[in-house]
Amino acid sequence: MDVIAGLGQGFLVAFDPINLLYCFIGVFIGTLVGVLPGIGPVSAMSLLLPVTLSGTPESGIIMMAGIYYGSMYGGSTTAVLVNIPGEAASVVTCIDGHEMAKRGRAGPALGIAALGSFVAGTFSIVALMLVAPMLARVAVAFGPPEYFSLMVLGLSILSFLTQGSMAKALLMAAVGVVIGLIGLDQINAMPRLTFDRLELVDGIGLIPVVMGLFGVAEILTNIEQQIRRDIVQSRIGSLWPSKEDLKASAGPVARGTVLGFLLGILPGGGAVISSFASYAIEKKLSRTPERFGKGAIEGVAGPESANNAAAGGAFIPLMTLGIPPNVVMALLLGAFVIHGLQPGPLMMSQNPQIFWGIVASMYVGNIMLLVLNMPLIGMWVQVLKAPYRILFPLILMFCIVGVFASGNAVFDVFVMIGTGVLGYLMRKFGYEAAPLVLAFVLGPMLENNLRKSLILSEGTFDIFVVRPISLVCLLVAAVLLIAPLLPALRKKREKVALDATD
């Protein structure tokens, strides 16, 4: 199927009334969780994962995708008006966005953030549409050894790019793999790590784990923090940037878009790293770098474009290889699996309506987001005033109801509470949840491809080094794991992590 025919089929799916409704719900909730500090896309997607069971696969996944890229838009509103990032990718926007707001230029800051996000989102969709089919054709030739090595590489990159200790990230990845292996062996159907508990025979569900690690843990963490919200009181004014603003922002938007898209494809790259990288590049290229931090519109345009482009780029490895590059894509992979679908190189030939339907819905969702973000700024400002003492009990209630409804099992509620307490303790002691969740999702596939490879090679590990793609992936993974042990590289990595948190 060529691109034009595929896109035509996709728009037929996207313009189905129920899919349009789910797309709107997704981008609206995405904008809402982007606006509200302390919630974020992972928590929202975890909460709504059970809802996807009630409709068709297309509807559920369109909604989940909408939450992700919608949250990238919404995060800029809080960053500019309150100086609190609505979600992690908007941290950099606070630096210059809030300074612009304090100087009475909140309108142009919000306007350029929305326009840059729209341009970047549109570019990433077009690139996804063109690159994914080509990559899928190459990936069809991949066998179990290549998939195993790619997954090892993905986990290695994620551990290498983590802001905290790499040892802690690897430990969390190991824990995730072990939890993912609980239940029946996929090859010989023998129970493992079940401790004679019937509830564990089918394994630990993704929904209770992610809702605990992100939903419940987020509530427990935020309860003990006093979040001050000093909303800019001055009139926002016109949202449309001036000609000078548009001229100054054109370069940062273009550079941020391309950079964000490329970094979004990489495992562990994502929106956060791309926004920091974009800000650093714009400051480096500027003839007046001293303006950055004092209300430079380039410091808003570049990072906001980068984080939205990264959101689109992250779909490529998921859709073409079936490998999620970040924890949000791991949740989307979970949504596919719950519906009995396996994203990968065969998806475009076996389920073209789903692939192209998602791509087309992203076009529609991008236009919806432009409408939601520019004229409705006043409404989002009112949402910001909602007290957390009301929000958090509601979120906890949705967590419990959602987990129970997903499997009709009280055991899942206990798993959610247990992983919620674990997630809270992990945050307190500096352990990141993303490597655990990604390894939890990839663990069964990792083991499955390892064992299939060994069956093909009659028990020898040579199969991983005689295949060029597999060998390259393993060599790169080994370099990434050994690099932090070298003093010079360790210092450089620590400096990058320090710069990112400053």
Side-chain angles (χ1 to χ4, degrees), residues 71-82:
S71 67
M72 297 297 136
Y73 273 76
S76 60
T77 303
T78 321
V80 170
L81 297 179
V82 197

Side-chain angles (χ1 to χ4, degrees), residues 192-342:
R192 299 179 301 190
L193 304 172
T194 58
F195 305 103
D196 295 325
R197 296 283 302 185
L198 191 61
E199 299 93 340
L200 292 173
V201 170
D202 285 335
I204 300 288
L206 175 67
I207 292 173
V209 169
V210 295
M211 288 179 87
L213 284 174
F214 294 101
V216 176
E218 192 75 48
I219 293 168
L220 294 174
T221 304
N222 282 299
I223 282 173
E224 65 179 26
Q225 294 177 352
Q226 185 66 36
I227 302 177
R228 290 184 68 246
R229 292 180 289 182
D230 300 322
I231 301 173
V232 171
Q233 298 298 326
S234 59
R235 188 172 176 273
I236 291 173
S238 173
L239 293 169
W240 195 257
S242 65
K243 286 183 179 179
E244 292 76 16
D245 288 334
L246 289 171
K247 185 178 178 182
S249 302
V253 167
R255 287 187 290 271
T257 297
V258 175
L259 176 70
F261 180 76
L262 295 175
L263 287 176
I265 296 173
L266 297 176
V272 179
I273 289 174
S274 62
S275 60
F276 276 104
S278 173
Y279 189 84
I281 287 171
E282 293 312 319
K283 191 173 180 180
K284 193 89 172 172
L285 293 177
S286 176
R287 294 177 182 176
T288 53
E290 65 276 2
R291 292 189 305 109
F292 282 75
K294 298 176 183 176
I297 198 166
E298 299 95 321
V300 176
E304 280 299 311
S305 303
N307 67 38
N308 278 273
F315 281 86
I316 288 181
L318 176 69
M319 295 291 206
T320 58
L321 302 174
I323 297 174
N326 56 44
V327 68
V328 177
M329 291 297 113
L331 287 174
L332 266 180
L333 176 61
F336 277 107
V337 172
I338 285 169
H339 284 283
L341 300 167
Q342 179 58 54

